[in-house]
Amino acid sequence: MIATSPETPLSAVGRMVLPVGDLDVALSFYRDVLGFAVLHDRTDDGYRYLHVGLPGQEPVGVWLMPAAGRERAPGGRPSLVLYTTDLGRLSRRLGEYGVRVWNEREDAESRSLHLADPDGNTLIVAELKN
């Protein structure tokens, strides 16, 4: 993982979100045709979280998301996932700028929050637990 700098609390681009019609068909294409590796494949509350990426280029990857799947609110589907090594620091910074934050979560693998950019695009920022 790339360390944060004094200029930004972000450490790396995490996942680009790609809406797909069928997760298994998409996985076959990205894995078998393009050579992507499965970075994360877990089902939680009936929703499958499937992330793929190029070997050796982790933590950057593609989050394959059902095109008609579960909506995230407010602000709709996330369009970008970013990583940080200090979610608390980032959360304070967002508050200083009046950025709306929601869906703050923690599980065994990460802590995360959702935020919206000025155009209403939803971003997720996660601090991975290593």
Side-chain angles (χ1 to χ4, degrees):
M1 177 93 36
I2 299 169
T4 57
S5 72
E7 295 81 34
T8 178
L10 299 174
S11 57
V13 172
R15 306 281 190 256
M16 304 304 244
V17 176
L18 182 65
V20 298
D22 182 301
L23 287 173
D24 291 318
V25 169
L27 175 59
S28 292
F29 176 77
Y30 281 91
R31 182 190 57 212
D32 302 338
V33 176
L34 298 181
F36 280 58
V38 174
L39 303 176
H40 182 79
D41 190 357
R42 185 182 84 200
T43 300
D44 186 35
D45 290 332
Y47 187 84
R48 185 175 176 193
Y49 296 88
L50 178 57
H51 302 182
V52 297
L54 294 173
Q57 295 188 15
E58 299 86 358
V60 178
V62 176
W63 179 353
L64 302 173
M65 183 180 286
R70 179 172 82 183
E71 292 298 318
R72 311 239 186 245
R77 295 182 179 276
S79 54
L80 180 62
V81 178
L82 301 169
Y83 291 145
T84 182
T85 57
D86 189 343
L87 193 65
R89 176 179 169 212
L90 176 65
S91 184
R92 289 187 297 278
R93 180 183 174 105
L94 295 171
E96 290 170 4
Y97 284 89
V99 175
R100 182 173 52 94
V101 172
W102 68 96
N103 200 21
E104 296 184 56
R105 301 171 41 158
E106 184 168 356
D107 60 30
E109 298 171 348
S110 67
R111 295 174 51 218
S112 64
L113 57 79
H114 287 64
L115 64 112
D117 73 8
D119 293 306
N121 294 308
T122 300
L123 309 178
I124 296 174
V125 179
E127 178 181 340
L128 302 179
K129 298 177 182 177
N130 295 337

